[in-house]
């Protein structure tokens, strides 16, 4: 079983739409959780960390449910510039910061 | 402040050959991790170097080896290349072995094995 599972999409949404991505992780001991963004043929870049209390950064809201081992990302008022692949990422355990990535979910925002 | 740099940007090799990829971490970072990203997949952790030693390793064969130098830069070596080794190889740097700080990725080296 993969450490992190994501729906690969693609998600094609119109500008202004709200879109939600979900992922699940298999290791209940996982410690840290992130969403990374990767543009085509570029390196991944940290979008935001994810906390149990939920966190928001402008149009982006991330949520963690430890009981269900489930992570979500909500993007409101989608912009053309949001088109990218969104990678769900976890670190396995305390004392280790190697990252486990999902396959990524491709988002295309359409004018 | 230079970010993570990697060289070369692209590389073409044939099966059975050996390759060395290089990474310089972001200024102030002392830990380097290597990842392999196949087309359409997320990056997969290869190994991590700290204080010139391999500290953690993912599920990769011994054909994959590495090194970290006193200036914290790192090399990834792959021997006996297979077609399946074709991928984007990403280097990420961070501070501290178990740090919770952000890992910064370099632009990657795209390896094609023919």
């Amino acid at each position: 079983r993969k450490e992190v599972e994501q729906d690969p999409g693609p998600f094609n949404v119109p500008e202004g739409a709200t879109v939600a991505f979900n992922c699940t992780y298999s290791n209940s001991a996982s410690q840290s959780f992130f969403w990374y963004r990767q543009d085509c043929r570029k390196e991944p870049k940290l979008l935001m960390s994810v906390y149990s209390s939920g966190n928001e950064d402008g149009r982006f809201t991330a949520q963690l449910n430890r009981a269900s081992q489930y992570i979500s990302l909500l993007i409101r008022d989608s912009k053309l510039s949001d088109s990218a692949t969104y990678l769900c990422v976890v670190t396995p355990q305390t004392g280790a910061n190697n990252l486990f990535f999902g396959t990524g979910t491709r988002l295309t925002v359409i004018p | 402040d230079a970010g993570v740099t990697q060289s070369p940007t692209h590389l073409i090799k044939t099966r059975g050959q050996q390759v060395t990829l290089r990474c310089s971490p972001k200024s102030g970072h002392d830990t380097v991790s290597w990842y392999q990203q196949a087309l359409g997949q997320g990056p997969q952790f290869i190994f991590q170097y700290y204080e010139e030693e391999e500290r953690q390793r993912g599920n990769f064969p011994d054909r994959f080896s590495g090194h970290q130098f006193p200036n914290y830069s790192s090399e990834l070596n792959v021997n006996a290349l297979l077609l399946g080794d074709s991928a984007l190889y990403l280097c990420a740097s961070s501070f501290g072995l178990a740090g919770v700080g952000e890992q910064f990725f370099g632009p990657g080296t795209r390896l094609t094995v023919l």
Side-chain angles (χ1 to χ4, degrees):
Chain A
R1 185 181 173 187
K2 289 185 178 180
E3 290 277 347
V4 182
E5 302 258 16
Q6 275 185 267
D7 178 353
F11 283 60
N12 300 315
V13 302
E15 273 186 288
T18 295
V19 61
F21 304 138
N22 307 309
C23 86
T24 57
Y25 59 95
S26 60
N27 184 354
S28 60
S30 296
Q31 287 295 311
S32 302
F33 308 88
F34 310 94
W35 284 99
Y36 274 70
R37 169 190 169 132
Q38 186 171 26
D39 293 295
C40 188
R41 305 187 75 81
K42 298 283 189 180
E43 72 273 22
K45 292 184 179 178
L46 179 65
L47 178 66
M48 58 197 305
S49 300
V50 189
Y51 307 109
S52 296
S53 55
N55 49 303
E56 187 173 310
D57 183 2
R59 298 181 293 108
F60 298 82
T61 301
Q63 190 75 48
L64 165 66
N65 184 321
R66 282 189 179 271
S68 302
Q69 295 178 207
Y70 173 93
I71 305 164
S72 65
L73 176 68
L74 184 75
I75 305 175
R76 291 180 299 278
D77 188 23
S78 298
K79 311 290 185 191
L80 296 177
S81 58
D82 294 334
S83 297
T85 296
Y86 291 84
L87 296 155
C88 179
V89 185
V90 308
T91 59
Q93 61 200 31
T94 302
N97 67 349
N98 51 303
L99 304 176
F100 285 99
F101 286 80
T103 53
T105 299
R106 178 147 185 82
L107 170 67
T108 300
V109 181
I110 303 164
Chain B
D1 177 23
V4 180
T5 60
Q6 291 186 244
S7 63
T9 54
H10 295 84
L11 204 52
I12 299 175
K13 292 285 188 179
T14 56
R15 280 177 296 175
Q17 286 189 308
Q18 177 265 343
V19 68
T20 298
L21 311 181
R22 296 176 176 81
C23 170
S24 290
K26 182 178 168 64
S27 178
H29 285 181
D30 57 6
T31 303
V32 173
S33 302
W34 286 92
Y35 294 82
Q36 180 196 66
Q37 186 173 23
L39 196 62
Q41 301 296 315
Q44 287 194 57
F45 175 71
I46 303 174
F47 43 52
Q48 183 180 72
Y49 277 84
Y50 173 74
E51 292 186 338
E52 302 180 49
E53 289 188 17
E54 182 183 297
R55 299 294 182 152
Q56 296 182 71
R57 190 178 182 92
N59 188 26
F60 279 80
D62 292 344
R63 298 187 296 109
F64 289 77
S65 63
H67 189 78
Q68 186 179 34
F69 299 93
N71 67 353
Y72 308 121
S73 66
S74 176
E75 287 182 349
L76 163 66
N77 301 294
V78 187
N79 294 323
L81 285 167
L82 303 174
L83 295 179
D85 295 332
S86 295
L88 179 67
Y89 288 84
L90 294 160
C91 166
S93 75
S94 56
F95 179 74
L97 186 58
V100 294
E102 180 180 350
Q103 290 196 33
F104 289 82
F105 283 83
T109 294
R110 192 165 297 278
L111 172 65
T112 302
V113 182
L114 302 176

